[in-house]
Amino acid sequence: MAYGPVDPQLDLVALEHRVLDRWRETGLVEQVKALRKGAPPWVFYEGPPTANGKPGLHHVWARAFKDLFPRFQTMRGHDVPRKGGWDCHGLPVEIEVEKELGLTNKHQIEAFGIAEFNERCRQSVKRYVQDWQSLTERSGVWIDTADAYWTLDNSYVESVWWLVRQLWDKGLLYEGHRVSPYCPRCGTALSSHELGQPGVYRDVVDPAAYVRFPVLGSEVDLLVWTTTPWTLISNVAAAVGPAVEYARVRRPGVERDVVLGRDRVEAVLGAAIDEGSGEARWEVVSSLRAADLEGLRYERPFGFVPIDGDANRVVVADFVTTEDGSGIVHLAPAFGEVDREVGDAEGLPTLNPVDAAGRFEPLVEPWAGLFVKEADAGIIDALRVAGRLEKVEPYEHSYPHCWRCGTPLIYYAKTSWFARTQAEKAALLEQNEAIAWHPEHIKHGRFGDWLENNIDWALSRDRYWGTPLPVWRCAGPTGDGTTPHDTCIGSVAELAELSGRDLSELDLHRPYVDEVTFPCPVGTCGAEATRLEPVLDAWFDSGSMPAAQFHHPFEGDGVFEHRFPADFICEAIDQTRGWFYSLLAVNTLVFGRSPYRNVVCLAHVVDQDGAKMS
């Protein structure tokens, strides 16, 4: 097909329109489809962009690669469907709408109304999808946006429910109490792979405090180290390391001795001899083992939160070392997963005086209503006044922030729903071996390392705009909530049968699906079952696309089976802990195999300082 000579002075935009107009006039894309109909297939999956804002130049970069390989395989004689897709759910969309409405927290969203808020989210997605369609066409990319899947569609949501039900039937879905990274601004937990997104960890300077814990009935204080002074409000134990040698240190003019790791004495207390006067600053009066310290009782630094249980004692924990700090670590099981594990093993109570917005509750009177990290300075001052503060110093470290809103995260004990990805680590690693990665080092590097250190996937989000968690719970046959029953729903038809309602026109989003109840089907219970409020992690939506894009298993006439797995996917390197992972996890757990054979992993488009365009 001849286009004629190109005028070197021709405006590039005008040239772009000439090419696109010619393609439309000739129906070129449709012609190519028709020519390859019935040819051997070569399957491409489109990683769905999140339609929460206008696309940028870096999206053209990715789409160019998504066009190059399918175009080449088409030229080789393959039939290459290019079904597009839109990732419609999740906090990125919610935050965009919150900005438009001037909302800053969940209470304001609920006052505004969940139905109206979610409708605004739907309209926002549709508005930005138009921009993405325009960009795709102007880039000369032949992704089929007219036949795109939308993760907000009822058909897609139903397929996601079916996939969740498969996890349930396999015993791979459970509700658990775990300390998770938590965004107090968004009011929900994050999954571990969300912490792997670019920009999550930022270098910050926090106060590291060395605090005296007086041992009861003695003239000795434990010198305890923390980089989160606000968690001292919830202290229940002090941990020592089984392989650490400890020292009891005496200083002239100081009434009480201190105990800390022998290797840390000079780093914490300074040189033993004053260079100016030549006088001793401190001396080690005895050496101690962890066994000598285990079980000692101490006076905790703050008593705002009542304790019900065996606490305020020294325990031995393997994670304690003398690489930094004092060799003695304070434990607050509500705000650290390692702390929680030690707490469970030792039978320690959990004290959590922090609300869902990350603020201290009224019983912590001096700092009630204050965001916990903002209370650090006041807590340190109170320790100083009480004579408990030995030393405070700046501590520079990498700290996680919410990848969606930028708020510093806290580690927070809460109930969430999890997929047992850790139990399936061997299967995930085995499937990774069958994938051809480009570049090759990603397989056993960034992606392989991630799989090796995999933990269970926190699936639930305490939010609004997302695929509802398909679990209904009753209060039990006595109605007192002591023996509740859970029912996982795998289809709209199943929900309709249980509820005795025609749900063919029901919007499956909140709040409408929340209004559907049914008599508990477990045994002879019969108590009313209502849906649990959480929605699913939007990454689970995107990982479900191989089946859900075709409304499998409810329709599709076998098209899913013919297009699974994909021969090719392509995204940037951040998706090793995003879509590449969620695809592998969902489909390995449900179907027992990787949903893709080949991956092209792109670098980021960056500015002159190396910052990722986003």
Side-chain angles (χ1 to χ4, degrees):
M1 183 181 297
Y3 286 93
V6 175
D7 182 349
Q9 302 300 316
L10 183 66
D11 181 89
L12 289 178
V13 174
L15 177 61
E16 169 195 309
H17 285 296
R18 278 182 56 182
V19 173
L20 294 177
D21 287 344
R22 180 63 65 88
W23 286 0
R24 294 190 198 99
E25 291 167 5
T26 60
L28 182 61
V29 177
E30 288 72 22
Q31 288 187 51
V32 171
K33 284 183 181 179
L35 285 170
R36 293 293 180 261
K37 187 174 182 180
W42 191 81
V43 180
F44 158 70
Y45 286 165
E46 158 72 331
T50 303
N52 69 307
K54 291 181 179 294
L57 176 64
H58 54 303
H59 295 117
V60 178
W61 167 252
R63 278 171 128 57
F65 278 85
K66 292 180 183 183
D67 191 63
L68 173 64
F69 287 86
R71 193 180 294 268
F72 173 68
Q73 293 295 338
T74 301
M75 294 170 66
R76 296 187 69 195
H78 290 290
D79 180 13
V80 186
R82 304 195 195 184
K83 186 179 182 69
W86 307 115
D87 195 1
C88 309
H89 288 147
L91 265 170
V93 179
E94 290 195 45
I95 289 173
E96 179 70 15
V97 173
E98 287 179 26
K99 291 176 181 176
E100 294 175 3
L101 298 174
L103 308 179
T104 59
N105 59 57
K106 292 169 67 176
H107 298 295
Q108 292 174 339
I109 292 173
E110 292 179 4
F112 181 76
I114 296 174
E116 179 61 24
F117 180 78
N118 276 354
E119 181 56 30
R120 295 291 187 100
C121 290
R122 185 188 300 271
Q123 295 307 318
S124 176
V125 167
K126 290 181 177 179
R127 179 172 69 249
Y128 287 122
V129 160
Q130 294 175 0
D131 295 324
W132 279 87
Q133 289 173 324
S134 175
L135 175 86
T136 301
E137 183 181 38
R138 289 188 60 194
S139 303
V141 173
W142 287 3
I143 291 175
D144 188 354
T145 58
D147 185 38
Y149 62 88
W150 296 60
T151 62
L152 60 75
D153 285 346
N154 267 7
S155 59
Y156 197 100
V157 169
E158 184 178 29
S159 288
V160 174
W161 279 9
W162 180 84
L163 290 163
V164 172
R165 175 61 179 270
Q166 306 315 299
L167 298 182
W168 175 277
D169 290 344
K170 292 171 179 280
L172 297 175
L173 181 72
Y174 71 96
E175 186 180 32
H177 191 74
R178 193 175 82 179
V179 176
S180 301
Y182 178 85
C183 178
R185 183 256 178 235
C186 298
T188 191
L190 281 74
S191 59
S192 59
H193 58 268
E194 287 179 287
L195 264 64
Q197 297 300 306
V200 165
Y201 281 89
R202 307 176 188 176
D203 290 336
V204 300
V205 177
D206 283 323
Y210 295 83
V211 183
R212 288 172 167 267
F213 283 23
V215 177
L216 299 180
S218 77
E219 299 297 321
V220 175
D221 294 340
L222 304 172
L223 197 56
V224 178
W225 182 65
T226 181
T227 59
T228 53
W230 64 269
T231 62
L232 290 168
I233 304 295
S234 300
N235 171 264
V236 294
V240 295
V244 176
E245 179 185 355
Y246 290 90
R248 177 172 176 170
V249 179
R250 182 165 298 157
R251 288 172 291 175
V254 179
E255 183 178 347
R256 296 177 65 87
D257 296 345
V258 292
V259 172
L260 70 162
R262 181 65 183 85
D263 293 345
R264 298 297 299 167
V265 176
E266 188 164 347
V268 175
L269 302 179
I273 305 297
D274 186 291
E275 290 185 3
S277 65
E279 296 180 352
R281 286 179 172 168
W282 51 261
E283 64 172 323
V284 174
V285 296
S286 64
S287 294
L288 300 165
R289 300 169 303 156
D292 299 321
L293 301 173
E294 185 177 14
L296 292 178
R297 304 281 174 168
Y298 63 83
E299 181 183 338
R300 59 180 172 145
F302 297 100
F304 298 113
V305 186
I307 285 185
D308 181 16
D310 183 17
N312 306 338
R313 56 187 170 88
V314 177
V315 300
V316 177
D318 291 337
F319 77 93
V320 181
T321 69
T322 53
E323 292 181 5
D324 49 19
S326 66
I328 307 178
V329 180
H330 109 91
L331 297 181
F335 305 113
E337 180 60 12
V338 173
D339 296 32
R340 185 197 64 78
E341 291 174 356
V342 175
D344 287 350
E346 293 285 341
L348 298 169
T350 298
L351 309 183
N352 188 354
V354 177
D355 66 18
R359 300 170 300 200
F360 278 118
E361 293 179 340
L363 76 167
V364 188
E365 189 174 352
W367 305 288
L370 195 63
F371 178 52
V372 291
K373 290 184 71 65
E374 295 173 357
D376 277 346
I379 289 171
I380 288 171
D381 286 343
L383 291 168
R384 183 179 289 111
V385 170
R388 293 287 198 90
L389 185 68
E390 176 67 33
K391 179 181 180 181
V392 63
E393 58 189 9
Y395 179 69
E396 184 174 355
H397 62 136
S398 186
Y399 192 85
H401 293 66
C402 180
W403 67 279
R404 297 154 298 205
C405 70
T407 300
L409 302 176
I410 61 175
Y411 285 83
Y412 192 78
K414 67 185 305 294
T415 298
S416 298
W417 285 81
F418 298 89
R420 297 187 190 276
T421 48
Q422 189 171 13
E424 298 299 310
K425 183 176 79 169
L428 294 169
L429 288 168
E430 179 183 2
Q431 291 304 312
N432 186 41
E433 289 302 311
I435 300 168
W437 285 88
H438 309 276
E440 293 181 3
H441 65 82
I442 301 293
K443 172 185 281 192
H444 297 125
R446 183 179 173 89
F447 195 68
D449 289 345
W450 176 252
L451 296 180
E452 282 285 358
N453 297 286
N454 185 25
I455 62 173
D456 285 353
W457 181 356
L459 290 180
S460 56
R461 298 290 180 270
D462 298 320
R463 293 295 301 190
Y464 311 99
W465 180 238
T467 297
L469 176 74
V471 176
W472 271 252
R473 174 172 292 169
C474 78
T478 60
D480 60 4
T482 56
T483 54
H485 301 130
D486 290 344
T487 302
C488 184
I489 299 297
S491 69
V492 174
E494 180 185 4
L495 183 59
E497 181 179 359
L498 288 171
S499 64
R501 293 176 51 182
D502 178 4
L503 303 179
S504 57
E505 301 299 322
L506 177 72
D507 181 349
L508 296 183
H509 291 90
R510 299 190 65 189
Y512 310 108
V513 70
D514 300 340
E515 299 165 2
V516 180
T517 63
F518 52 80
C520 176
V522 177
T524 58
C525 176
E528 184 180 58
T530 58
R531 197 191 72 82
L532 299 180
E533 286 190 353
V535 297
L536 290 171
D537 180 3
W539 288 107
F540 193 89
D541 280 0
S542 60
S544 301
M545 63 79 60
Q549 65 177 332
F550 302 118
H551 196 200
H552 178 81
F554 306 103
E555 58 181 317
D557 297 328
V559 66
F560 162 67
E561 289 84 353
H562 289 98
R563 296 194 194 175
F564 182 88
D567 293 291
F568 165 71
I569 62 173
C570 172
E571 297 292 343
I573 193 168
D574 55 326
Q575 296 304 320
T576 50
R577 297 174 185 181
W579 190 53
F580 297 157
Y581 173 70
S582 66
L583 272 177
L584 185 68
V586 172
N587 291 277
T588 298
L589 267 59
V590 174
F591 299 112
R593 67 157 303 164
S594 168
Y596 49 88
R597 295 188 176 100
N598 300 280
V599 185
V600 172
C601 191
L602 304 176
H604 288 135
V605 177
V606 298
D607 65 10
Q608 64 273 19
D609 299 318
K612 179 178 86 79
M613 181 178 286
S614 180

